[in-house]
Structures are given as structure tokens and as C-alpha cells.
Amino acid sequence: MKKNNRFIKRFLPVLTLCGLLSACEFLETEPHDTFTPQGFYKTEEQVNTALYGVYRALANNMLYGANMQGIMGLSADLGYESYNRDQFTVGYNYVVSTDSRILSYWQYLYICISRANLLLENLDRAPMDETVRDNVRGEALFLRAYAYFMLVNKFRNVPLILHSAPSAEPEYTQVPQADPEKVYEQIVSDMETAAGLVVPAEGLYGGGKINRSAVWGTLARVCLTMAGEPLKRTDMYAKAEMYAKKVIDCGTHRLNPDYQQVFINYSQDKYDIAESIWEIEYWGDNTVYYCAAMVGRNTGIPSPAGSSIGFCQGFLRATAYLYELYDGNDVRRDWCIGSFTYDRNTLEKIPTAAAQKWLRYCAKFRREYEKGSPKQNNATPINFPVLRYSDVLLMYAEAHFNNDQALAEEDDEALECFNQVRRRGHGLDPETASEEVDYVYSGKENFMQELRDERARELAFELLRKDDLVRWGIYYDQMQYVKGTVPRNYTEAMLYFNQVEPKGVMWPIPSYEMGVNRKLVQNTGW
């Protein structure tokens, strides 16, 4: 289904406003009027405008729209930035408290939280159907919780702000950090409440709108994170298994039989709620409505400006480590990792030499399939996946085999979920057993290594890898291992891996924020 449908139409009156805010939010001008909550939230349309503002904070270029894609070190051992202007930034693992991208990450997540708080506090002011109101409440609660999840698993020690400040007086702006476990517990609580309020995925046109499956699946991710480093709340494996199982059992979701088509759909403005449960929504090319981003522009196979393919900078190269995780029959390898480059003059596809495993580009999001002409150099309408069904299947298997209280009779079901992902990755029917491809369980230790590799093969460049390595407690050791495999003549890769430090499992509190909020305490080691 086309992207310019219900979700876009629902918020069409505010798309132009979205563009104006994006273009002007850093300008200092004299206000002609004063915004107050009492003057807003009076109609359902205004409530929808406010809700859209919460969504758009996550979609901003400081987050999913651009920065997180390839230039913040989130691909960890699977890819490295290759853009020498960024050598002394977080993109090359050169992490300092003054890094502008880390600051923007922090600020825009708190913008998301602030917008959600205002909406939740004023939602009851507008006359509207109570079922609609409950759904909005659930979406806002979930989005606020997700923003906190993104903050706490990168910074660990963050202020927990659940109400808007009545004024800019110091007593309201000086907020100490909360215990990380308390933040996680609030995240789980808010998401569990949201699950009972938002609409089910069944019948939805696509994953641009928060739905019950998106909440359940994200809860599984949160609970797995809590079970690992640094909290080590192993009791949360049971909750992770439960929530992943809810997504599986709801009957709405299944794997798209064609792995490549999943990502072609993102480029072609097509939805597939069965596979793509939650995706960050982009639209247009920023020439009329300012709701496009840079998916496929920052990371992808480089192509020249103004070309029919669409300009791609190609910031991110894959590592040989990732390349070698795939076997020769895995169709995901040459989709995730470019097997060719474009001739800059003819746009002919030139095959990459087999030995050049460190020079291949991330190729998951491809502008050549993007519709619309001419294609803009700095904007694409390609959506970005936050939660896919394959991730849910892998999370369910991981949680089940780590849950000491799991039912043994469900072992086969958990293994079947795992093998469905493997089969699809080899171009086979996901629901038909294959002796050649199916993994045979041989103990938790062996399974966990295979699970780690399978998540890399399936979810490479979807911004999950560093978080996975951190929660598994192997981030630094794994980065050191891959560093040892980098040929010395690949200077960009060497620099990327050389700058990794043990304290890199978390980021420093931005120094600017510490100057504003004197109650913040810098993270250990920074």
C-alpha cells in the first residue's frame, strides 16, 4: 500500500508546520505570541498535531533521520565509518563529552519526552471519543518510554522527568539523575499500560503507527536489555519471552518470504505490517512538506549527486567479519553488503573483487528502488525499521533458552522461530523444515553464539548491534577481536577500532547539559 494514505492524511494539516519547525527551531527570534497549553489541546485535530510532534522528534535528523545511520558507531563490529572529516567524532569511536552528535541525541530525546509530557497532561482538555483518546494516551506513553529506553541504554544515568516544568525556575530545571533500574522499571510500566490502550496491528495499513504488537515487541527488547549488562536482571528473561510470544501468537505477523523485498518495500513506499511492525515514517522529498530524511543517502552504495539512482554519500562500510558470518548460500549477504559499486559516469554496476571484503558498503537501503523523479540529493522518503518480525522471533528464542523457568515442551517452538529466520535468509520457505539449513540445538552456550551471529546476519545496520554487544557483556572484547583482523593498510577501519575504549559501553553526559543542569554527575571514566 502507498505511504501517502491514512497516516499521512491524519497529520496532513501539520506537515508544513513540521517543516517550518525543523527549519527554524534553532533560530532566535522575538515571539509574536506566547504558546500556552491552555490555548491549545482544544480539539481532536490539535491533539493529533501534538501527537505528531512526538513522533517527529524521533524521526528528526539528529536521531533516526540521519545521525544514527552510520555516523555514531552503532554498527559496532559489523561496519565502520569511512568519512575522514569525522575522525574525531563518535562516528569513529572517538567519544568525548563535547561531541555535538551525542548532545543532539540527548536533546532530541528529551524534546520527545517533553512533548509527550505536555500531551499527556492536557489530553483530557479536548472533546473527543474516549476510545480515540485512550489510543493517543497509549501512543504518547509508549513514545515517551521508548525515548527513555534510548537514553538509559546509552547514558545509563539520566534524569527521569515525567511532568512538564511549570516554569524555568532553577527548582524545575535542576533535576538529578535517577537510578537506571528505576528508569527501566518506569519504561516497562508505561509500555505495559500503553499495550492496553493502543490499537492492535491487525487491520492496520502499516507500521508507521504505534500498535499493540510494536509495544509488545519493544517490551521484549527492553526486558532482554534488563536481563543483560549492566542490570543483570535475569528474571526479565521470562517477561521478554512472554511479550515476544504475544506478538507471535496474535496471528497477524509472518516473515515476508523474500528478504530483499522487505527493504525494497521501504524504498518503494509500500507497507507490510506482517513483517515490519514499527517503522519510522518519512514522506516526500522536502520540497513541499518537510518530512523526508536521509535513509539511503548517508549509508548505501555511493552514487553521484543528481543521478537517476539518487545521491548516496556512502558513509558506512561493512567489515570482513560480517561478510564472513554469511555462508555462500545466504541471500542476505549481498543485500546487506554491497557486491558492486556504481561507475560515476555511466552508473554501470561494477562487481567488487572477492578479496575486497573491507571495501564493501552497507547496502541495505537502496535509493535505486526509490520512486519519484527527480530524486533529491539530501532527502529520501524511505522509512526506517525499528521492529521487524524476524527480530521478534530471534528475541523469543533467545529469551526462552535463557529463561530458567521456561517450559521444556516449548523448546521446539522456540527453535522453530529461530530456524524460520535462517530459512528465509537462505531463500527458502520460512515455514518448511530444511535439514541443510536448520540449526540443531546442542546446549545454551553453543546456541547463544549462533544466536549472536544470526542477529548480525539478519539485523545488520538496523542500529541494534552495539546495544546487543553491550547487553551481552562482550562489546569491548568483540571490538578488540575484530580490530585484530583489520589489515593495516585499511586506515579508516584501523582508526575506527583503535579508538574503542572499555568505557565506551556508555556515552558521557554531554558537557553542555552539565553546565545547564548542575545536579548532573558525569559518568564514571568520562
Side-chain angles (χ1 to χ4, degrees):
M1 187 175 287
K2 301 290 185 183
K3 199 177 293 182
N4 52 342
N5 49 36
R6 294 182 220 169
F7 186 87
I8 296 300
K9 289 178 181 177
R10 179 185 179 193
F11 296 117
L12 197 56
V14 299
L15 291 177
T16 302
L17 174 62
C18 159
L20 292 174
L21 289 175
S22 297
C24 301
E25 58 194 347
F26 292 112
L27 298 180
E28 295 182 5
T29 60
E30 287 296 321
H32 295 289
D33 200 354
T34 302
F35 169 82
T36 63
Q38 291 72 28
F40 200 66
Y41 304 103
K42 290 182 177 180
T43 67
E44 185 172 335
E45 182 180 22
Q46 290 177 337
V47 166
N48 280 332
T49 299
L51 177 60
Y52 186 72
V54 185
Y55 276 95
R56 288 304 300 171
L58 283 181
N60 191 277
N61 280 354
M62 300 299 107
L63 297 171
Y64 280 100
N67 279 4
M68 290 171 64
Q69 297 173 46
I71 55 176
M72 293 190 77
L74 302 181
S75 295
D77 57 336
L78 306 183
Y80 64 96
E81 188 178 355
S82 181
Y83 186 62
N84 56 23
R85 294 183 187 178
D86 278 355
Q87 287 184 356
F88 297 103
T89 72
V90 64
Y92 274 73
N93 295 308
Y94 182 83
V95 182
V96 291
S97 63
T98 55
D99 189 286
S100 62
R101 290 175 191 159
I102 291 177
L103 172 62
S104 295
Y105 184 96
W106 173 289
Q107 289 180 330
Y108 272 85
L109 288 173
Y110 273 110
I111 287 172
C112 178
I113 290 163
S114 175
R115 291 176 181 178
N117 283 340
L118 275 170
L119 175 55
L120 289 166
E121 290 166 3
N122 292 279
L123 180 57
D124 292 334
R125 296 170 56 82
M128 55 196 300
D129 179 86
E130 290 304 314
T131 301
V132 175
R133 192 194 313 276
D134 283 346
N135 183 69
V136 172
R137 194 185 314 278
E139 290 179 75
L141 273 173
F142 173 82
L143 291 168
R144 182 181 73 178
Y146 187 73
Y148 270 120
F149 178 55
M150 291 177 68
L151 282 164
V152 74
N153 72 11
K154 295 296 190 300
F155 298 100
R156 298 194 179 177
N157 302 290
V158 300
L160 182 61
I161 303 170
L162 302 177
H163 302 283
S164 59
S167 75
E169 294 298 317
E171 63 181 299
Y172 301 114
T173 60
Q174 305 299 295
V175 184
Q177 291 132 304
D179 180 86
E181 188 164 6
K182 180 180 178 181
V183 178
Y184 274 108
E185 288 172 352
Q186 184 69 46
I187 292 166
V188 171
S189 176
D190 282 351
M191 288 189 179
E192 288 178 336
T193 300
L197 298 173
V198 300
V199 297
E202 181 182 8
L204 282 183
Y205 59 91
K209 176 182 171 63
I210 298 303
N211 56 78
R212 196 165 298 153
S213 295
V215 178
W216 285 336
T218 307
L219 269 166
R221 184 180 293 168
V222 171
C223 292
L224 278 178
T225 303
M226 294 177 70
E229 296 283 352
L231 295 186
K232 298 182 181 179
R233 285 278 305 274
T234 56
D235 60 302
M236 298 304 289
Y237 282 122
K239 269 200 169 186
E241 179 180 0
M242 176 185 70
Y243 283 117
K245 189 72 158 45
K246 282 179 177 289
V247 180
I248 295 166
D249 288 347
C250 78
T252 302
H253 307 287
R254 61 190 175 279
L255 294 177
N256 187 315
D258 186 341
Y259 181 80
Q260 296 178 6
Q261 190 62 44
V262 174
F263 301 95
I264 293 173
N265 285 346
Y266 293 128
S267 294
Q268 293 186 337
D269 291 356
K270 294 179 180 178
Y271 289 113
D272 177 11
I273 189 67
E275 164 89 31
S276 185
I277 299 172
W278 178 27
E279 54 198 76
I280 300 293
E281 188 103 34
Y282 298 106
W283 185 64
D285 59 11
N286 284 352
T287 58
V288 179
Y289 301 116
Y290 289 79
C291 294
M294 296 189 184
V295 181
R297 186 269 186 197
N298 281 2
T299 58
I301 300 172
S303 49
S307 69
S308 60
I309 294 170
F311 174 61
C312 178
Q313 185 72 52
F315 284 131
L316 188 63
R317 295 183 191 264
T319 62
Y321 172 79
L322 172 61
Y323 184 91
E324 291 167 358
L325 284 179
Y326 298 99
D327 63 48
N329 296 317
D330 197 319
V331 299
R332 296 171 295 188
R333 186 191 68 189
D334 290 345
W335 184 265
C336 293
I337 304 171
S339 59
F340 62 88
T341 55
Y342 293 108
D343 182 282
R344 296 190 65 83
N345 296 314
T346 67
L347 301 184
E348 177 187 1
K349 293 181 179 179
I350 303 171
T352 303
Q356 293 181 325
K357 296 177 182 177
W358 285 94
L359 290 180
R360 298 168 186 254
Y361 291 90
C362 159
K364 206 159 202 175
F365 303 95
R366 305 192 182 192
R367 296 199 67 186
E368 66 177 289
Y369 295 95
E370 181 186 323
K371 293 187 174 181
S373 181
K375 296 175 183 177
Q376 297 298 312
N377 288 335
N378 294 314
T380 82
I382 303 173
N383 282 13
F384 192 90
V386 183
L387 179 71
R388 294 195 292 113
Y389 187 52
S390 57
D391 188 6
V392 174
L393 294 175
L394 294 176
M395 288 193 291
Y396 173 64
E398 179 182 356
H400 176 79
F401 287 114
N402 281 281
N403 175 15
D404 293 336
Q405 306 302 315
L407 299 176
E409 55 263 34
E410 293 180 353
D411 287 1
D412 288 345
E413 181 181 8
L415 197 58
E416 169 65 14
C417 290
F418 180 75
N419 281 325
Q420 283 189 20
V421 178
R422 290 172 64 89
R423 293 171 200 148
R424 198 263 300 268
H426 285 78
L428 304 175
D429 180 352
E431 299 180 7
T432 301
S434 168
E435 290 185 5
E436 292 76 19
V437 171
D438 285 1
Y439 176 79
V440 178
Y441 188 79
S442 58
K444 187 170 79 171
E445 183 176 346
N446 290 339
F447 173 76
M448 277 302 297
Q449 183 57 57
E450 192 61 31
L451 181 282
R452 291 165 184 157
D453 292 347
E454 192 62 33
R455 286 188 65 82
R457 291 185 283 257
E458 175 69 20
L459 302 167
F461 310 125
E462 295 181 44
L463 308 182
L464 299 173
R465 184 60 172 180
K466 181 175 180 180
D467 289 346
D468 280 349
L469 295 181
V470 169
R471 69 182 176 85
W472 291 327
I474 61 173
Y475 172 70
Y476 181 72
D477 289 346
Q478 177 66 8
M479 295 296 279
Q480 291 299 108
Y481 169 77
V482 177
K483 171 186 170 181
T485 69
V486 181
R488 293 192 177 276
N489 57 315
Y490 289 93
T491 56
E492 302 285 327
M494 285 296 295
L495 185 60
Y496 174 87
F497 284 99
N498 271 336
Q499 297 187 140
V500 175
E501 299 181 84
K503 63 184 180 181
V505 294
M506 60 179 169
W507 286 338
I509 307 299
S511 58
Y512 175 85
E513 293 298 326
M514 293 193 67
V516 173
N517 179 2
R518 298 304 177 89
K519 289 190 176 182
L520 295 178
V521 177
Q522 187 56 273
N523 285 333
T524 302
W526 296 105

